[in-house]
Every structure is written in structure tokens, then in C-alpha cells.
């Protein structure tokens, strides 16, 4: 169990271009750990700076001006995917998976061989019901995620989070840009409205925009990045994409924090989890269940007993999709390592201890490329 939920964060939101303001209060986990100016960061996503017609660039041309050129750094500045979706027939090349990336990618996904494991939270917490507990353990050792019913969250409250989210993304771009995650219009930070940081010119970009806000502890809220209306916030926004066969909404990754609680769209599916080499489709939410998966932090704390699953989001040709993710993590200065009571001679530590903030840097570097193994597998002693 995470010691403290020191960082709830929310994401979602379209577009972005410029005009961010740096908040002065408690910097978020990632802001503290990333070089504030150069762009390395959290989940790589969009860039391309030429919104409406200069989008396409031959794939091969990318490397030429990579990192060294000071002349044109515009590729570092993401466009609003929402704007692109509204104005373009074809996604620009930065969003298109390359032939090699499509090999075995099976974007269509497979149907899960069994329903998503569902835990009755009321039952589990009231009576520590052994059957629910066994179900939970098994879900975390296999899939790494589960659904929660009977969680006590009002359905109407969950609906209003989505409504607020939709309202935010429907605001004019200029309005959304007031919450931009780009400081002075160019320097990436985690909080705010926008996309992933663009680290290299040949990075594949995600077909989504987001609003990422730190919500806990209350003192760490940075109201500079909060929309003034609606008063609530929200998170991932996936506009319709004309090429769902070639473009991902969010590239494959495992989450970093201990726990992710996800409110999914009730109508549009898109989330897929990887298990034993196969990508499985998670059906759209029903009955206001929540989806919970664990992240790298928890995987390390449990010495690998529980799995932080790889997942991705595919796009939809006709429908937009919204999701709201709450991340629960530990303090950036805290050391993360396998919990002592889980270790023995037969079960030695599989991971070294490391400060959360140092691990986060590795995590972002690892997933920016969009392919490769789970980071947890690369960190084993
Ligand atoms: O949109 C979703 O269903 C998942 C979003 C996600 O993976 C994330 O925000 O880390
Ligand atoms: Fe995720």
C-alpha cells in the first residue's frame, strides 16, 4: 500500500501550443526531477509545430536536424491533436507508426479470455472477505489490473467529472492554452494542458491531449494550471483519428506510480493491456466501475510479486474518447525498494533501492521511444 498518496494527478485535455506560466508552489514529482528546460519528460507525445499544413515530413528527414540544430526547434512544440483532428484528413507523419513498429503490434487487440477481474470493494474492506482477497491477489499477479465495483463513489459525481472534462476540451484553444504545460510557450513541465514532451525529432507522437493536474496533497496544488471554468478538471482526450490502423492514442507504457485509478469512458473502448505477448481489449466501462492497475513503484515494492502491466490506448475513427486517471505515488525523495518483510534467503531482493525521483527519470527515458520491454524487467539485479 503506498505510504501516502502524495501525488494524485489527473490527465486529459486536448491541444496545446503556447503560453504557460510557471507556478511557484510545490513542484510536482516530475518537475523536480526533470531538467526544467530541455525537454525530457514524462510521456512523450506530440510535437510538430506546424499545425495545419506543414505537418508532414519525410520520415528520413527527421534525424538530420536532431538535437544539434538550434535553427529550427519547432518540432519540440506539440500541436493540439484536437486541432489536427479537426483540420486534417491524414495524421501528420509524426503520428504514424513505422512499418517496423507495426510488426506484431496488432492494434485491433484480442478479446480477453475471461471478464475483467472485478473486486467488490465494499466486501473486501468491510469483512476482508478471503474470496475477494484471493481474487485481488490473483488479478495483480496475472493481469496487473482489476475493476472495482461497490466503491462508494457516486455515479452522478463520476458522470460530472466526464461532463466537466468534455466542457474543458470544448473550450477555444486560446482558453485551454492558459493552462498550458509549456512554460513561456516552449519549456515542458508535467502539469498543465498539452501533450508529452518531445525529446527527439523522430519520436512517434500520441493521438491525444491531456490536462495534468496535481491534486494531492492540497498544499501541492498549483492553481496556475487549473482551468478557471469549469471549476473541476479532467484528463485524457482522444479525438477521432482517421488512421486508427497506424496511430496510437497513448504509446505502450507501464505506469510509474504505485497505483492508477482510472475512470473510463462509458461508451468508447480503447485501452489495451499486454499479457503474455498479446494485447487485450478492455471493454468500455459499465455500471460506473473503476479500473485500477499498479505501476512500477508497487511492482518494485512487492519485489515483483505484483505486475505493473504494459498498456496502450488505440484510437477510434469516428468517436472521441475521454479517460480520467488518478495516480497515487510516493514522495519523490522517498527510496523505493522491495519491502523487507517480503524478502528471505529464498526470495532475495530483485531490485535495488532507488529514490523515486531518480527512478522516474529512468522511467520516462525508457518509454519515450514507444517500444521495448517493460522497464521493471530491465531493472532487475
Ligand atoms: O485512457 C486510458 O484508458 C488509459 C490512460 C493511461 O494509460 C494513462 O493515462 O497512463
Ligand atoms: Fe497508463
Amino acid at each position: 500500500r503506498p505510504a501516502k498518496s502524495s501525488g494524485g494527478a489527473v490527465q486529459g485535455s486536448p491541444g496545446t501550443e503556447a503560453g504557460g506560466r510557471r507556478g511557484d508552489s510545490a513542484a510536482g514529482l516530475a518537475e523536480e526531477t526533470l531538467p526544467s528546460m530541455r525537454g525530457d519528460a514524462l510521456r512523450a507525445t506530440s510535437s510538430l509545430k506546424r499545425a495545419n499544413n506543414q505537418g508532414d515530413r519525410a520520415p528520413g528527414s527527421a534525424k538530420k536536424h536532431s538535437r544539434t540544430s538550434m535553427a529550427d526547434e519547432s518540432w519540440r512544440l506539440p500541436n493540439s491533436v484536437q486541432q489536427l483532428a479537426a483540420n486534417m484528413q491524414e495524421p501528420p507523419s509524426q503520428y504514424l507508426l513505422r512499418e517496423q513498429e507495426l510488426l506484431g503490434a496488432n492494434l485491433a487487440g484480442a478479446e480477453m479470455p475471461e471478464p475483467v477481474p472485478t473486486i467488490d470493494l465494499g466486501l473486501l474492506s468491510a469483512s476482508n472477505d478471503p474470496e475477494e482477497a484471493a481474487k485481488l491477489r490473483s488479478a495483480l499477479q496475472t493481469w496487473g489490473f482489476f475493476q472495482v465495483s461497490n466503491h462508494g463513489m457516486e455515479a452522478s459525481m463520476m458522470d460530472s467529472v466526464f461532463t466537466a472534462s468534455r466542457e474543458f476540451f470544448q473550450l477555444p484553444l486560446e482558453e485551454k492554452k492558459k493552462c498550458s504545460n509549456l512554460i513561456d510557450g516552449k519549456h515542458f513541465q508535467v502539469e498543465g494542458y498539452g501533450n508529452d514532451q518531445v525529446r527527439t525529432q523522430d519520436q512517434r507522437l500520441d493521438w491525444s491531449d491531456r490536462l495534468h493536474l496535481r491534486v494531492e496533497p492540497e498544499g501541492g496544488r498549483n492553481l496556475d494550471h487549473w482551468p478557471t471554468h469549469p471549476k473541476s478538471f479532467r484528463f485524457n482526450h482522444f479525438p477521432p483519428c482517421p488512421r486508427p490502423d497506424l496511430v496510437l492514442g497513448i504509446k505502450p507504457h507501464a505506469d510509474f506510480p504505485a497505483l492508477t485509478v482510472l475512470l473510463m469512458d462509458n461508451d468508447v473502448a480503447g485501452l489495451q493491456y499486454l499479457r503474455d505477448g498479446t494485447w487485450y481489449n478492455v471493454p468500455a466501462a459499465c455500471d460506473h466501475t473503476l479500473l485500477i492497475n499498479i505501476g512500477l513503484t508497487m511492482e518494485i515494492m512487492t519485489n515483483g510479486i505484483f505486475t505493473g502491466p504494459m498498456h496502450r490506448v488505440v484510437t477510434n475513427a469516428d468517436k472521441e474518447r475521454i479517460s480520467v486517471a488518478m495516480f497515487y505515488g510516493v514522495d519523490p525523495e522517498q527510496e523505493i525498494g522491495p519491502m523487507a518483510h517480503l524478502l528471505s534467503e529464498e526470495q532475495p531482493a530483485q531490485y535495488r533501492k532507488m529514490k523515486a525521483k531518480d527512478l522516474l527519470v529512468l522511467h520516462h527515458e525508457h518509454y519515450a521511444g514507444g517500444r521495448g520491454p517493460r522497464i521493471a524487467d530491465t531493472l532487475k539485479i
Side-chain angles (χ1 to χ4, degrees), residues 224-300:
D224 272 4
H225 302 285
W226 284 48
T228 49
H229 50 270
K231 292 257 186 307
S232 31
F233 37 71
R234 78 319 268 280
F235 323 123
N236 296 315
H237 180 243
F238 306 90
C241 177
R243 294 305 302 266
D245 55 329
L246 292 179
V247 176
L248 281 172
I250 295 184
K251 61 174 64 64
H253 67 285
D255 292 340
F256 176 76
L259 278 184
T260 303
V261 179
L262 200 66
L263 274 68
M264 287 193 304
D265 202 294
N266 279 321
D267 304 314
V268 188
L271 177 61
Q272 298 180 337
Y273 281 95
L274 184 66
R275 182 174 168 188
D276 300 332
T278 301
W279 287 100
Y280 290 99
N281 292 315
V282 176
C286 65
D287 298 333
H288 294 89
T289 49
L290 296 168
L291 198 92
I292 299 183
N293 68 242
I294 66 163
L296 178 65
T297 302
M298 180 78 87
E299 177 158 351
I300 291 179

Side-chain angles (χ1 to χ4, degrees), residues 140-141 298-308 338 342 350-351 374 376 380:
L140 288 179
Q141 289 182 316
M298 180 78 87
E299 177 158 351
I300 291 179
M301 286 164 69
T302 63
N303 202 28
I305 294 175
F306 293 164
T307 305
L342 295 176
Q350 300 214 57
Y351 305 97
R374 288 176 338 120
K380 291 209 167 130

Side-chain angles (χ1 to χ4, degrees), residues 50 105 116-117 128 131 180 195 209 302 309 377:
R50 41 304 135 208
V116 177
N128 229 345
E131 212 173 290
S180 174
N195 310 88
D209 304 307
T302 63
D377 295 337

Side-chain angles (χ1 to χ4, degrees), residues 131-143:
E131 212 173 290
E132 288 306 297
K135 228 198 292 177
L136 176 60
R137 184 185 183 88
S138 156
L140 288 179
Q141 289 182 316
T142 53
W143 292 101

